[in-house]
């Protein structure tokens, strides 16, 4: 396999961390924790973000992945996990840029994910 193909495939794999199926997988795992507050933060944030996504042209992966990073960091409250998840998120963003995703859409995806997380955190 050519080096460029390996980079593209790795970038696509990283982007999957912000996909709808992965978000649902995390949401199901949160339900299993038996902590309704934590579940509702995820669910409300995800619904707000998906509403914004349907109405505008923002990057889905950048926003959903940020929601996952924010709320899993609140839950684990561990510096090692925090560093790892933020690094994975930065690699996801780099992968989006590497695969020539519109930078403006990525920026607004990140912004919308952050705003959705903040709103859900405040509500809950």
């Amino acid at each position: 396999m050519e080096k460029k193909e390996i980079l593209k495939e790795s970038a696509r794999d990283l982007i999957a961390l912000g996909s709808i199926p992965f978000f649902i997988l995390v949401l199901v795992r949160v339900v299993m924790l038996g902590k309704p507050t934590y579940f509702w933060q995820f669910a409300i944030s995800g619904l707000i973000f998906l509403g914004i996504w349907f109405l505008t042209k923002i990057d889905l992966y950048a926003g959903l992945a940020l929601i996952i990073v924010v709320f899993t960091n609140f839950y684990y409250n561990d510096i090692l996990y925090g560093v790892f998840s933020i690094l994975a998120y930065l690699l996801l963003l780099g992968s989006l840029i590497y695969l020539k995703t519109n930078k403006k859409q990525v920026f607004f995806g990140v912004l919308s994910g952050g705003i959705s997380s903040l709103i859900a955190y405040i509500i809950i």
Side-chain angles (χ1 to χ4, degrees):
M1 197 178 247
E2 196 177 309
K3 183 180 178 182
K4 199 169 190 169
E5 275 301 308
I6 292 172
L7 281 175
K8 275 188 169 183
E9 190 173 320
S10 297
R12 284 191 300 268
D13 290 344
L14 280 165
I15 290 170
L17 294 172
S19 67
I20 291 175
F22 188 75
F23 188 83
I24 292 170
L25 185 67
V26 171
L27 199 57
V28 169
R29 175 64 182 119
V30 169
V31 168
M32 294 169 56
L33 295 173
K35 297 189 177 201
T37 300
Y38 186 51
F39 168 78
W40 285 112
Q41 286 174 331
F42 261 104
I44 291 171
S45 184
L47 289 172
I48 292 169
F49 178 79
L50 288 174
I52 295 169
W53 176 68
F54 277 118
L55 298 173
T56 62
K57 290 191 175 220
I58 59 173
D59 189 80
L60 173 76
Y61 304 102
L64 284 180
L66 181 60
I67 293 168
I68 292 169
V69 168
V70 166
F71 288 118
T72 57
N73 272 288
F74 282 150
Y75 179 76
Y76 289 115
N77 195 23
D78 181 81
I79 191 76
L80 185 59
Y81 177 80
V83 169
F84 172 74
S85 65
I86 291 169
L87 177 62
Y89 184 68
L90 292 174
L91 288 170
L92 178 146
L93 293 177
S95 294
L96 288 168
I97 301 304
Y98 175 73
L99 294 173
K100 299 184 179 21
T101 304
N102 183 311
K103 291 177 186 165
K104 195 175 186 179
Q105 289 177 339
V106 172
F107 171 77
F108 284 111
V110 172
L111 185 63
S112 298
I115 290 169
S116 299
S117 297
L118 181 63
I119 291 170
Y121 183 78
I122 291 170
I123 289 173
I124 300 300

